[in-house]
Amino acid sequence: IIKITFIYLIKNIWGVIFLYYIQETDKPNFILKLFNIVKLKENKIILPIEAEEKMDLKKSKVLANKTKKILSKTNCNKVILSKEIKKQQDYQNYLYTYNFDIIDGRWLFEVLMLKSLKYIIEKKNMKKEEVSISILVNDINDNILENIKEIVKEYKKINIVTNHIEKFKKIEKQILEKEGIMLVISNNRRKSLLKSKIILNIDFPTELINKYQIYEEAIIVNLKGNVKIEKKRFNGININDYEICFKYEDEFDFEKKEKYNKKDIYEAKIIKKQPNKFIMKRIDEDQVKIIELVGNKSTI
């Protein structure tokens, strides 16, 4: 049996690459840039652009098409973008139209919901028995359900805000019978979020969350996508990004550690289609920790 170390997780025992890293070049070359030559080096696709360079729409389309041709030959559709390439929105959009699976840490953020909550309370010196928390959710899966159950065990003032109240009645009954805790489930746009110091937004988009009255100093954590709070009086922290650290990060080569987000690298190593308890066990074993929550006005 061949032991696969974390550093080579993206390869199976036959040497097939399941994941490619896409990054800018450190050594700009006039010929490469002129002819838009995309280089392949092991599991890295290197685009002929420099750090901080902004690609126009035409160049984005050309490079995305060349990326597609490379990946189609390998039967691979899973990629991680470097921090610099993430800034190239047009290029990313083309990759999405080709149905590539761009790992961006969003799935992991949802899994780390409880850890994010604990991180905020610790950093902001809040008393968890006093803090009021709202969870915005319309669609539920196993990871979300297990996280909600764990949050309810530790924090007493929990408010579930949803457009599908009936869907959550069964969950409300389960938690009451098992934990003896009554969940508050509501959808009152004027009152539901007015007293919530922390809002965990699982799947409310910008246009929906802005229909609610929000506590002016709230900390909002958007787990699935970037959300803009358009309330003029809102003076809280709207978090759309994060970063982690974990046990094995020193095993990655210098280039990956510098160029890529750790959250993306770690998400790529997790088998998502497994029970939540196995995912959380792995996360605990790997000593995954939130080290930064990035907000609109400040970082926690």
Side-chain angles (χ1 to χ4, degrees), residues 228-267:
K228 182 179 179 182
I229 302 302
E230 298 167 347
K231 307 287 185 181
K232 292 182 179 179
R233 297 180 63 182
F234 179 72
N235 197 38
I237 303 174
N238 186 41
I239 294 165
N240 281 306
D241 206 355
Y242 74 108
E243 189 53 291
I244 64 170
C245 67
F246 53 90
K247 187 177 180 180
Y248 300 107
E249 60 186 69
D250 288 339
E251 294 184 17
F252 282 95
D253 61 57
F254 176 79
E255 198 169 63
K256 286 195 184 113
K257 286 172 66 177
E258 292 298 310
K259 289 183 180 295
Y260 296 86
N261 289 116
K262 295 171 187 175
K263 59 178 181 173
D264 301 346
I265 292 174
Y266 187 80
E267 181 176 308

Side-chain angles (χ1 to χ4, degrees), residues 55-95:
M55 289 193 285
D56 59 24
L57 188 62
K58 182 179 178 181
K59 190 178 184 74
S60 297
K61 185 176 182 179
V62 169
L63 294 183
N65 190 49
K66 291 191 174 187
T67 302
K68 177 186 176 184
K69 288 179 179 179
I70 290 173
L71 294 176
S72 63
K73 292 177 182 178
T74 64
N75 292 319
C76 173
N77 76 330
K78 186 175 290 189
V79 298
I80 292 180
L81 307 182
S82 72
K83 298 172 187 177
E84 289 296 326
I85 299 302
K86 281 184 176 182
K87 299 174 184 177
Q88 308 292 345
Q89 194 58 55
D90 291 330
Y91 174 78
Q92 277 193 75
N93 290 340
Y94 280 118
L95 293 187

Side-chain angles (χ1 to χ4, degrees), residues 33 35 41 49 74 88 112 117 135 149 191 200 229 277 282:
K33 296 184 73 171
F35 294 100
K41 183 181 178 183
I49 66 168
T74 64
Q88 308 292 345
L112 297 176
L117 179 56
I135 300 174
K149 287 179 179 178
K191 298 180 179 180
L200 300 176
I229 302 302
K277 64 179 181 179
R282 182 63 181 272

Side-chain angles (χ1 to χ4, degrees), residues 180-220:
I181 299 171
M182 174 69 77
L183 275 180
V184 177
I185 302 176
S186 65
N187 190 30
N188 188 314
R189 294 180 178 179
R190 290 188 299 107
K191 298 180 179 180
S192 293
L193 303 179
L194 270 181
K195 295 182 180 180
S196 300
K197 293 184 178 180
I198 300 176
I199 299 171
L200 300 176
N201 177 21
I202 294 175
D203 58 14
F204 277 31
T206 293
E207 59 271 21
L208 181 55
I209 193 173
N210 279 289
K211 292 179 179 179
Y212 289 77
Q213 295 297 316
I214 301 171
Y215 173 55
E216 295 174 10
E217 301 294 328
I219 298 172
I220 304 172

